[in-house]
Amino acid sequence: MDKSNLSVQQSQGVPIPIWLVVGANWQQYCDEAGVKWANNCGFTGKNGQILLIPDPLQQTRHVLYCRKNNEFWDFADLAHQLPAPAIYKIMNPLSIEEATLAAFAWAAASYSFDHYVVKEKSVFAQRALPGGGDLQRLYPWIDGTALVKEKAVFPQLVLPENADLARLYPWIDGTALVRDLMNTPTNTNGPAAELIQQAQVLAGRHGAVCRVLTGEELLENNFPLIHAVGQTSQPPCLIELVWSGHATGPRLTLIGNGICLDSNEEIRSSAHNLLIKKDMGGAAHILALAQMIMMVGLPLQLRVLLPVLEKSMSGHPMRLDVLESRKGLTIEVGNTDTEGRLMLADALTAACEDGPDLIIDCATLTNAASIALGPDIPVLFSNHDAWTQKLLHSSHMTQDPLWQLPLFQPYARHLQSPIADLNNVGKSSYGGAITAALFLEKFIEPRIPWIHIDMMAWNPTAAAGRPEGGEAMGLRALFHLIHQWVMV
């Protein structure tokens, strides 16, 4: 993109038009001088090219953009490249889906985690906690009526007319919350700090009830596996949040485990150390999904269960013992580094006791899932084919990828134990994501529909709109699924 000798219109001016062009049709948006300018700049309508066309005063009159990959993340790439401060407006007609995803990509591109940087913060990071409904303050980068600050470093976009705000704002807020929680370092993101605080703030904001069981209270309330896994320097806890959007609405239970620190990782390579904080990704996703549901007031009854803990070296570590679960099943601990499924087991059992209409859990559970599908595609398991198809449809509609793997029952043989009801880890290194899901299925009542998402929740490398670090994966798809379920 050639920005030479061009200035951009300031916030007080009319938004700068953006025309999405394809191949040679770019010439219809240019007069003779514009075509000459384009030729001089080497603009040919090739995918990914951007051209800023000046007016006689050498200010940007309009922008031509030939999309790079013909996907919605192209708008994030465009946002990264356009000069600021300035306000832009997409002139081409867009469908509801295109407009909503374009605005989301633009907002996602504006994200930066600079909470600990001693300088002027990004607009995205100025709020202590995401959400709250102050839309002009929270979403200025997609509101062309808002004022651009003199030191703004990110271009603004006039909200496309067709954008579905009932989806757009929850998507942005939920993504921000997941990224913020996962990028926060472990010294301030322990179970007694950020996650509990976030749950309590969300409960207070939306009229929900939040309860926290800590330490020995877990044993007193029959959560022995969560208690056993968390016998370290900081006591484990179970965060429970209950909210009613409608007294007789469907009952949904969301579960996400959060391992906020794992000292087993610290004694490994430095590459593992960099990913320690991502193991609370399941809890981050579920908190964000709960926020999205309450934010728009979906007519359902919501229960959230978040088993969270630190796994630090201590005098009372989890050992290769036999543990009894809330369900009564005994478990031989074959690997102390597969503790996430133990935490989820007690929470899933408690969820089934209320007989909800649907249970969804999210977890950064296995490396096998990301090895199978790469870091960008979470693995989906479900005991209910109809719900699986609905979620895959939502994944397609929101361009939020998920991929189903089977609950292949013959692999359950790998979980057999000679001294207990089952082992917490498969005997084979093959099919690790499947055996982990089969372990969790042991704690689900077969009559209750259940969805399990095993995710990376982390961008190993940066891409347009997706900075390196914590990432929301499957979040838009899950919200779409729930929205369609209760609103249609």
Side-chain angles (χ1 to χ4, degrees):
M1 181 177 70
D2 190 337
K3 302 180 188 176
S4 60
N5 301 317
L6 288 181
S7 61
V8 295
Q9 293 173 331
Q10 299 304 306
S11 59
Q12 294 81 5
V14 176
I16 300 170
I18 296 175
W19 293 100
L20 307 177
V21 300
V22 179
N25 84 335
W26 63 268
Q27 296 188 25
Q28 66 182 286
Y29 302 101
C30 300
D31 55 18
E32 184 177 346
V35 172
K36 184 176 180 180
W37 173 265
N39 291 332
N40 290 338
C41 293
F43 184 86
T44 61
K46 181 180 176 181
N47 286 3
Q49 283 190 315
I50 300 173
L51 179 69
L52 276 61
I53 299 180
D55 63 16
L57 298 178
Q58 291 298 295
Q59 290 186 325
T60 304
R61 184 173 62 186
H62 61 272
V63 177
L64 303 185
Y65 176 50
C66 189
R67 296 174 66 180
K68 181 181 295 184
N69 299 309
N70 200 31
E71 61 175 26
F72 77 96
W73 287 117
D74 288 345
F75 294 99
D77 182 64
L78 175 62
H80 280 304
Q81 296 194 57
L82 289 175
I87 301 174
Y88 299 88
K89 182 178 181 179
I90 298 172
M91 305 304 294
N92 305 66
L94 300 175
S95 68
I96 293 174
E97 289 74 20
E98 290 172 332
T100 307
L101 285 165
F104 170 74
W106 195 287
S110 74
Y111 178 87
S112 64
F113 188 76
D114 52 11
H115 295 59
Y116 299 91
V117 179
V118 184
K119 65 178 184 181
E120 185 174 348
K121 306 297 184 183
S122 69
V123 177
F124 206 112
Q126 284 179 355
R127 52 203 162 102
L129 295 171
D134 185 354
L135 300 184
Q136 194 173 57
R137 180 174 63 89
L138 299 185
Y139 313 111
W141 47 87
I142 57 168
D143 181 2
T145 64
L147 294 178
V148 179
K149 296 183 178 180
E150 290 183 1
K151 296 183 180 181
V153 294
F154 204 83
Q156 289 182 286
L157 178 70
V158 174
L159 190 64
E161 293 180 3
N162 277 359
D164 182 355
L165 303 189
R167 286 185 288 168
L168 175 61
Y169 290 138
W171 286 357
I172 297 171
D173 241 26
T175 300
L177 180 54
V178 170
R179 290 176 174 181
D180 282 351
L181 288 174
M182 294 194 66
N183 290 328
T184 300
T186 56
N187 65 316
T188 58
N189 204 18
E194 182 78 3
L195 290 177
I196 292 177
Q197 179 195 21
Q198 184 69 63
Q200 291 172 337
V201 169
L202 290 180
R205 180 181 296 153
H206 298 288
V209 175
C210 184
R211 180 176 71 142
V212 182
L213 299 176
T214 305
E216 297 305 308
E217 293 177 330
L218 291 166
L219 283 181
E220 296 167 5
N221 288 272
N222 194 22
F223 291 96
L225 292 180
I226 301 173
H227 181 271
V229 174
Q231 292 304 293
T232 59
S233 56
Q234 295 291 331
C237 63
L238 177 70
I239 304 169
E240 181 180 22
L241 188 148
V242 178
W243 175 83
S244 178
H246 195 286
T248 60
R251 291 182 296 167
L252 170 67
T253 298
L254 304 177
I255 301 172
N257 71 320
I259 301 173
C260 301
L261 172 66
D262 188 348
S263 60
N264 285 345
E265 301 284 355
E266 291 181 318
I267 60 177
R268 298 178 183 177
S269 68
S270 58
H272 280 89
N273 289 341
L274 294 174
L275 297 179
I276 288 174
K277 55 187 179 182
K278 94 173 188 65
D279 274 350
M280 45 73 65
H285 276 74
I286 292 303
L287 266 178
L289 185 56
Q291 172 179 277
M292 296 161 76
I293 290 169
M294 295 186 291
M295 180 181 181
V296 299
L298 292 184
L300 53 77
Q301 300 175 69
L302 176 66
R303 185 187 186 196
V304 175
L305 296 172
L306 305 176
V308 299
L309 51 83
E310 293 183 5
K311 247 186 78 180
S312 321
M313 296 180 183
S314 72
H316 304 282
M318 185 175 67
R319 303 173 300 186
L320 299 178
D321 293 336
V322 173
L323 305 175
E324 185 172 354
S325 66
R326 181 182 182 90
K327 190 171 184 176
L329 294 174
T330 56
I331 302 167
E332 179 188 4
V333 179
N335 186 338
T336 60
D337 202 29
T338 54
E339 70 291 310
R341 64 196 69 181
L342 296 174
M343 299 162 62
L344 287 170
D346 271 357
L348 289 169
T349 300
C352 290
E353 291 165 2
D354 284 349
D357 298 298
L358 176 64
I359 295 173
I360 299 173
D361 81 72
C362 293
T364 51
L365 199 62
T366 68
N367 288 329
S370 54
I371 289 173
L373 301 182
D376 298 341
I377 309 176
V379 172
L380 155 66
F381 295 93
S382 179
N383 64 349
H384 197 283
D385 289 341
W387 278 104
T388 299
Q389 295 308 311
K390 291 176 183 177
L391 181 52
L392 290 175
H393 173 72
S394 292
S395 170
H396 173 73
M397 294 300 295
T398 58
Q399 297 188 41
D400 194 10
L402 293 166
W403 196 266
Q404 182 187 14
L405 288 184
L407 288 166
F408 188 61
Q409 296 302 322
Y411 285 176
R413 68 182 183 273
H414 297 305
L415 296 171
Q416 294 174 354
S417 166
I419 60 173
D421 293 322
L422 69 162
N423 203 303
N424 77 321
V425 65
K427 296 178 181 178
S428 171
S429 60
Y430 299 112
I434 296 176
T435 54
L438 290 170
F439 176 87
L440 296 179
E441 190 185 25
K442 300 289 186 183
F443 300 90
I444 293 290
E445 294 297 327
R447 61 183 176 81
I448 300 176
W450 164 61
I451 293 170
H452 165 56
I453 309 294
D454 189 347
M455 60 180 65
M456 178 76 168
W458 193 267
N459 294 322
T461 57
R466 292 150 291 177
E468 182 178 349
E471 185 59 280
M473 296 182 174
L475 191 64
R476 300 190 307 277
L478 287 170
F479 180 71
H480 184 275
L481 171 77
I482 297 166
H483 191 279
Q484 293 295 105
W485 174 36
V486 300
M487 297 300 291
V488 174

